[in-house]
Amino acid sequence: RIIVIKEILDFVAKVYAARGKRLETVEIYEAVTPLLRERTENTMKSFFEELRAEGEARGEARGKQDMVLAALRKKFANVPQYIETAIRRMSDPIALESLIGDVIVSQTLDEFATALR
């Protein structure tokens, strides 16, 4: 950020020098403030958009994890902790969706655990 501010100030100083004027502190502030405000707003907007997207992805993964675990509990009643932990560590929605099919075709928890690897 410091580099960006320096580049802006250098640019403003060059513009004033080209016009044969001396740059005063108040003029620097007035010239730079709108640029910094716009850049800060854009940066914050991007940051919050990324944060929202990450939250949505985590929520989608969590929902699919819950579906896999619910299907396992429905079919096998008790799900060992190591299987639940392995599923909770997964975040790829496509891989999690494919586990639903593995739940359906697995005859035992061991068979499912093999597919989980």
Side-chain angles (χ1 to χ4, degrees):
R1 293 183 186 180
I2 299 295
I3 293 170
V4 172
I5 293 170
K6 183 182 180 323
E7 289 174 2
I8 292 170
L9 292 176
D10 287 345
F11 173 76
V12 172
K14 287 176 186 175
V15 168
Y16 272 77
R19 294 180 182 170
K21 295 182 179 180
R22 187 173 188 284
L23 196 57
E24 300 295 327
T25 304
V26 172
E27 292 170 316
I28 293 173
Y29 178 78
E30 290 173 353
V32 172
T33 299
L35 298 172
L36 292 176
R37 184 176 297 125
E38 181 180 330
R39 177 148 175 99
T40 301
E41 287 172 1
N42 289 340
T43 301
M44 292 302 290
K45 184 177 178 182
S46 296
F47 170 75
F48 284 115
E49 286 172 351
E50 287 179 30
L51 197 60
R52 188 188 88 239
E54 286 177 21
E56 288 174 356
R58 277 193 302 258
E60 179 183 8
R62 181 64 184 216
K64 291 181 188 243
Q65 293 165 356
D66 290 345
M67 286 184 358
V68 171
L69 291 168
L72 282 170
R73 288 184 183 111
K74 185 74 171 174
K75 185 167 186 173
F76 299 112
N78 295 319
V79 177
Q81 186 62 44
Y82 77 94
I83 290 178
E84 182 168 350
T85 300
I87 292 167
R88 290 289 182 205
R89 287 186 177 149
M90 295 177 71
S91 60
D92 180 3
I94 295 169
L96 286 161
E97 282 180 24
S98 74
L99 286 180
I100 294 290
D102 293 329
V103 171
I104 293 168
V105 299
S106 296
Q107 298 300 313
T108 66
L109 275 170
D110 288 337
E111 193 177 323
F112 176 80
T114 301
L116 185 58
R117 293 184 195 122

